[in-house]
Amino acid sequence: MHGPVDRLQRGNRIGRSRFAAGEVWLADVTLRVHMGSSTVFLMYHELERPGRPLCQTEPGYVRYILSEADFREHVKSLAARGWHGWSVGQALQGVPSAGVVITFDDGCETDLLMAAPLLREHGMNATFYVTTGFVGKAGYLSVQQVRELHGLGFEIGCHSKTHPYLSDVDTERLRDEVAGAKGQLEQWLGARIEHFSCPGGRYDARVQAAVRDAGYTSMTTSRNQANGVSTDRFELGRVAVLRGTGADGFEKLSAGRGLWRLNLGDEIRRTAKRALGNSMYDRVRGALLGEGK
Ligand SMILES: [Zn+2]
């Protein structure tokens, strides 16, 4: 908890409140230099191998599914640049060299069968956010496989119990999805679970408070932004890596180039969700993506 991020935050607060103007300036410069090297958190889901059925098949799901071959190219692209793949926990403690944070949502079996071997081959880490209610279902990790992933040194995070939009559920259900799922994972692994990711990227202040109260130390969203020293640890951005993202697109994404354009799209979607509500928004989106054809 005493990595460069914490030190800089403390330095900057002290600079603002207690020291002379020159030192405030110095703290601000330091902050800006660090922000210049802010880290992109990447969000993956299930991986696809020819002939192997996916966990779900609707277009809204499949657009987040990459082929195993594309993911292999991404890992090779990082390695060729001398970049590292970090877990969320490592990044929050301050990382010593260039890299990205690699995360997987949902807890699909391909986390262990396809992603883990490729990451290990290149000495990279990652955080796998598991949905506890999916564990043991066809195509998802079993309890034993979650333990295996953890035993290999990867970080296990929580992605709720049943994957609802958390901003839509009542207080009791929210606690069960956030704190209940944490307790279940901790019981399975005999280890502390510190990081949470929001299903469907949906959250609000109430969700943030529930995650904080449950004892997590971070929460990731699906906001297209890199994370730096000033980013709220309970509102960390993550960039979705979409189906068909090849080596060129990946290089741009991992370096955080073009995120402003994605951010603009986010803003438009957020406005639409607010205006329509989550369920109507999903119906409209499904129609636009050709669901039901
Ligand atoms: Zn999910």
Side-chain angles (χ1 to χ4, degrees):
M1 294 305 280
H2 295 284
V5 171
D6 289 293
R7 274 201 297 280
L8 276 176
Q9 272 173 336
R10 275 204 302 280
N12 197 42
R13 268 202 304 275
I14 291 166
R16 273 208 201 102
S17 59
R18 285 178 50 198
F19 287 80
E23 281 167 291
V24 173
W25 177 83
L26 193 65
D28 281 350
V29 170
T30 317
L31 186 66
R32 216 168 298 140
V33 168
H34 190 86
M35 282 302 286
S37 60
S38 60
T39 306
V40 171
F41 286 37
L42 297 169
M43 171 172 55
Y44 290 95
H45 293 79
E46 188 175 16
L47 297 177
E48 185 173 31
R49 184 183 283 172
R52 187 181 182 280
L54 294 174
C55 288
Q56 295 177 43
T57 53
E58 63 271 27
Y61 179 82
V62 173
R63 74 189 285 263
Y64 289 101
I65 306 308
L66 269 98
S67 69
E68 182 185 22
D70 277 338
F71 182 66
R72 184 182 295 114
E73 289 307 310
H74 297 182
V75 174
K76 278 163 66 178
S77 154
L78 291 173
R81 276 177 277 160
W83 282 32
H84 202 80
W86 311 108
S87 67
V88 171
Q90 286 176 317
L92 293 180
Q93 285 180 33
V95 288
S97 58
V100 290
V101 169
I102 300 175
T103 72
F104 282 79
D105 276 359
D106 298 348
C108 296
E109 203 182 10
T110 58
D111 290 359
L112 178 69
L113 303 184
M114 298 182 202
L118 286 168
L119 292 166
R120 273 167 65 82
E121 195 181 311
H122 294 275
M124 294 185 188
N125 208 332
T127 299
F128 294 92
Y129 291 107
V130 173
T131 305
T132 57
F134 293 174
V135 170
K137 291 190 174 169
Y140 293 92
L141 295 164
S142 65
V143 175
Q144 190 48 43
Q145 287 175 315
V146 178
R147 286 191 186 123
E148 212 175 310
L149 208 47
H150 182 248
L152 290 170
F154 292 108
E155 185 169 65
I156 305 297
C158 183
H159 191 51
S160 84
K161 183 176 176 183
T162 67
H163 207 277
Y165 291 151
L166 294 175
S167 48
D168 290 354
V169 303
D170 67 30
T171 306
E172 197 182 327
R173 170 104 186 265
L174 180 59
R175 197 179 305 119
D176 192 35
E177 295 286 347
V178 172
K182 182 178 195 285
Q184 177 69 84
L185 279 169
E186 290 179 342
Q187 195 203 322
W188 284 338
L189 297 179
R192 238 188 112 197
I193 299 296
E194 300 205 34
H195 308 287
F196 187 85
S197 73
C198 297
R202 306 298 205 285
Y203 70 100
D204 53 22
R206 199 176 59 108
V207 173
Q208 285 174 300
V211 170
R212 211 184 286 261
D213 290 349
Y216 291 97
T217 56
S218 88
M219 184 185 95
T220 44
T221 69
S222 313
R223 289 174 85 103
N224 283 301
Q225 59 177 41
N227 301 308
V229 60
S230 60
T231 312
D232 183 342
R233 286 179 177 218
F234 290 87
E235 200 171 26
L236 294 165
R238 272 192 312 165
V239 181
V241 188
L242 298 178
R243 187 178 187 80
T245 302
D248 286 353
F250 178 77
E251 201 177 322
K252 279 194 202 109
L253 213 58
S254 56
R257 291 204 297 278
L259 288 185
W260 66 270
R261 203 174 289 123
L262 294 170
N263 243 316
L264 194 64
D266 281 352
E267 200 45 57
I268 292 166
R269 277 188 293 275
R270 267 197 294 277
T271 306
K273 279 170 204 164
R274 264 200 303 274
L276 298 172
N278 277 332
S279 59
M280 177 59 88
Y281 174 83
D282 278 356
R283 282 209 291 279
V284 172
R285 176 171 174 268
L288 292 174
L289 288 172
E291 247 162 53
K293 274 184 190 167

